[in-house]
């Protein structure tokens, strides 16, 4: 009798454990089935804010959940997309792809990493003390290029090389580098991030620092776009009515090119469908203002677009929508130029004529 009772109790416990195990398995499957992880950037940068916006808009707690993850920069983000478990998507600088290929870091990168969309342009910030009057003054002086493997380090190396100026590169995280610039321990820091970068938002008036203009030489403009900073971007660094010339590089939403039959490919397809369908929400407050520069149809030279993204655009973007996206990009382009150009284009007919030329230029870039 006792033996039978004991067997009954043991059997019940086994069934209970099995039920709990199945319930845990079901919960695990439910949580993971729609999760997409995005490797972004450091806490003070634009990438993490863009990734957070993606999570805020796209999460529906059922079919799609976006996990923003802080990263260490564009070069490392490419490595993480390729090899870090659980990473499907990353935000990187557009020039990092050419760097990776030229360095033979990942010989088959063309087939393995594609892009979903070009995002926006990131500006080259060169912060120095006010006793530095030109880029040439930084020759032989310590300048923070950012951590090794970051897009900032790569772009800083390229830019100073093309300018023919040789500072002494140092590698600190940006928060520490800022303190060292303030104390005079290093002469300056380079930071590639979408303006306005949060790193520079805590300055007080009379801080003794400035954003140094970058000479837009022919060699610079072979790879980078002209841009500028204004008082509205950094009121504690730039006086009202003044501007600082700089350069910009594109940011790209990169994705691992999963095989057709891989279950994680479907996750990225779900993400693309949600992202493209809800794109208008990203261009409204309180989302980062850089979203207003994004044109989903923009082509990234040297990259292959992810086929599911190409398919979605071909199916859903009509001519009128594409023109609207181009005009958004055009307005952003005009806003980045010198005020003299804006004054010349105050006439709508002149602006429309230039827009037609801009469209022809865009078409030539995709060939």
């Amino acid at each position: 009798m006792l033996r039978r009772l004991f067997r009954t109790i043991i059997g019940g416990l086994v069934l209970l454990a099995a039920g709990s195990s199945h319930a845990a398995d079901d919960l695990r499957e439910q949580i993971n089935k729609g999760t997409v992880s995005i490797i972004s950037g450091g806490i003070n940068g634009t990438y993490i804010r863009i990734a957070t916006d993606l999570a805020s808009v796209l999460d529906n707690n059922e079919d799609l959940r976006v996990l923003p993850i802080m990263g260490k920069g564009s070069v490392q983000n490419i490595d993480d997309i390729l090899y870090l478990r659980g990473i499907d998507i990353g935000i990187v600088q557009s020039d990092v792809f050419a760097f990776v290929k030229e360095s033979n870091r990942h010989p088959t990168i063309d087939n393995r990493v594609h892009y979903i969309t070009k995002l926006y342009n990131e500006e080259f910030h060169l912060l120095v003390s006010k006793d530095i009057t030109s880029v040439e003054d930084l020759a032989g002086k310590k300048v923070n290029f950012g951590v090794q493997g970051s897009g900032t380090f790569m772009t800083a190396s390229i830019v100073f090389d093309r300018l023919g100026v040789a500072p002494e590169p140092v590698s600190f995280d940006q928060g520490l580098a800022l303190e060292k610039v303030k104390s005079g321990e290093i002469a300056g820091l380079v930071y590639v991030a979408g303006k306005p970068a949060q790193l520079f938002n805590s300055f007080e008036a009379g801080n003794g620092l400035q954003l140094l203009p970058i000479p837009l030489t022919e060699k610079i403009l072979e790879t980078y776009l002209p841009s500028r900073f204004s008082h509205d971007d950094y009121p504690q660094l730039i006086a009202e009515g003044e501007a600082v010339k700089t350069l910009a590089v594109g940011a790209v939403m990169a994705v691992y090119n999963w095989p057709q039959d891989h279950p994680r490919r479907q996750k990225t397809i779900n993400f693309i469908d949600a992202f493209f369908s809800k794109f208008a929400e990203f261009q409204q407050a309180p989302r980062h203002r850089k979203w207003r520069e994004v044109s989903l149809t923009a082509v990234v030279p040297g990259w292959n677009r992810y086929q599911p993204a190409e398919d979605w655009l071909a199916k859903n973007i009509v001519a009128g929508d594409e023109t609207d996206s181009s005009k958004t990009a055009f307005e952003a382009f005009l806003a980045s130029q010198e005020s003299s150009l804006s004054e010349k284009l105050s006439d709508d007919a002149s602006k429309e004529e230039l827009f037609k030329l801009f469209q022809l230029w865009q078409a030539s870039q995709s060939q």
Side-chain angles (χ1 to χ4, degrees):
M1 184 72 177
L2 288 175
R3 190 174 297 174
R4 186 182 305 163
L5 179 60
F6 179 74
R7 283 199 298 266
T8 300
I9 293 172
I10 293 298
L13 291 173
V14 169
L15 289 173
L16 181 61
S20 298
S21 178
H22 288 313
D25 289 341
D26 291 343
L27 182 59
R28 185 180 296 108
E29 175 66 22
Q30 181 181 346
I31 288 175
N32 284 279
K33 72 174 183 178
T35 299
V36 172
S37 298
I38 299 181
I39 192 78
S40 58
I43 193 168
N44 291 311
T46 309
Y47 286 1
I48 189 64
R49 296 179 65 190
I50 293 297
T52 301
D53 281 348
L54 287 166
S56 298
V57 173
L58 302 182
D59 277 13
N60 62 18
N61 297 320
E62 294 179 5
D63 302 318
L64 180 62
R65 182 184 179 195
V66 178
L67 291 184
I69 299 174
M70 287 195 296
K72 294 185 176 181
S74 293
V75 178
Q76 183 63 51
N77 284 2
I78 289 289
D79 292 347
D80 290 342
I81 292 170
L82 288 169
Y83 300 117
L84 185 59
R85 291 176 183 172
I87 300 298
D88 300 289
I89 296 169
I91 304 174
V92 300
Q93 291 173 204
S94 59
D95 58 348
V96 76
F97 207 61
F99 172 81
V100 167
K101 288 194 288 186
E102 289 171 7
S103 65
N104 207 34
R105 188 182 181 97
H106 303 297
T108 59
I109 191 73
D110 283 325
N111 295 325
R112 300 172 69 195
V113 176
H114 291 176
Y115 78 100
I116 293 173
T117 190
K118 178 182 181 294
L119 290 171
Y120 50 83
N121 291 328
E122 298 182 284
E123 286 74 26
F124 186 94
H125 300 72
L126 179 53
L127 185 77
V128 298
S129 61
K130 289 192 174 177
D131 61 339
I132 302 291
T133 60
S134 70
V135 172
E136 288 74 18
D137 289 347
L138 294 172
K141 294 184 171 65
K142 291 181 179 179
V143 176
N144 189 61
F145 279 22
V147 297
Q148 292 278 356
S150 69
T152 293
F153 192 99
M154 176 195 64
T155 301
S157 301
I158 294 171
V159 168
F160 276 105
D161 180 65
R162 293 191 178 185
L163 291 174
V165 177
E168 180 184 340
V170 294
S171 293
F172 302 107
D173 69 77
Q174 296 294 352
L176 179 57
L178 178 57
E179 295 305 314
K180 290 181 178 292
V181 174
K182 289 178 178 178
S183 68
E185 187 176 338
I186 62 176
L189 68 82
V190 175
Y191 190 30
V192 178
K195 65 178 183 181
Q198 187 175 345
L199 182 70
F200 305 130
N201 283 347
S202 59
F203 289 134
E204 298 178 357
N207 51 67
L209 302 176
Q210 62 174 330
L211 288 165
L212 197 64
I214 306 299
L216 300 178
T217 65
E218 188 173 333
K219 284 188 175 181
I220 290 293
L221 295 177
E222 286 175 0
T223 303
Y224 302 103
L225 299 169
S227 189
R228 65 173 187 161
F229 302 120
S230 69
H231 173 77
D232 290 340
D233 298 318
Y234 300 110
Q236 303 300 344
L237 291 170
I238 301 172
E240 193 166 359
E242 295 185 4
V244 175
K245 291 182 181 179
T246 190
L247 57 90
V249 60
V252 176
M253 187 185 293
V255 59
Y256 189 82
N257 184 27
W258 292 106
Q260 290 280 355
D261 57 350
H262 200 288
R264 286 174 70 177
R265 187 180 180 90
Q266 187 57 52
K267 289 185 180 184
T268 59
I269 291 174
N270 294 343
F271 170 87
I272 289 167
D273 182 63
F275 170 54
F276 284 178
S277 299
K278 296 183 177 182
F279 180 66
E281 295 183 36
F282 290 99
Q283 298 185 311
Q284 302 170 10
R287 308 304 161 207
H288 196 285
R289 72 187 199 186
K290 277 290 183 180
W291 283 111
R292 299 169 202 167
E293 298 179 18
V294 178
S295 172
L296 295 179
T297 57
V299 173
V300 183
W303 289 66
N304 296 316
R305 197 187 295 269
Y306 193 42
Q307 193 59 50
E310 191 73 46
D311 293 343
W312 195 99
L313 292 172
K315 181 180 178 181
N316 294 280
I317 296 294
V318 298
D321 294 335
E322 195 166 357
T323 301
D324 289 343
S325 295
S326 294
K327 286 196 173 182
T328 299
F330 177 64
E331 293 296 336
F333 163 76
L334 290 182
S336 71
Q337 304 307 302
E338 296 295 332
S339 58
S340 58
L341 177 60
S342 299
E343 291 169 4
K344 290 176 184 177
L345 294 173
S346 58
D347 179 81
D348 288 340
S350 299
K351 186 179 289 189
E352 186 64 28
E353 183 177 350
L354 186 57
F355 175 63
K356 290 176 181 177
L357 293 174
F358 174 75
Q359 286 181 305
L360 291 174
W361 175 84
Q362 276 193 318
S364 71
Q365 300 303 299
S366 62
Q367 295 173 355

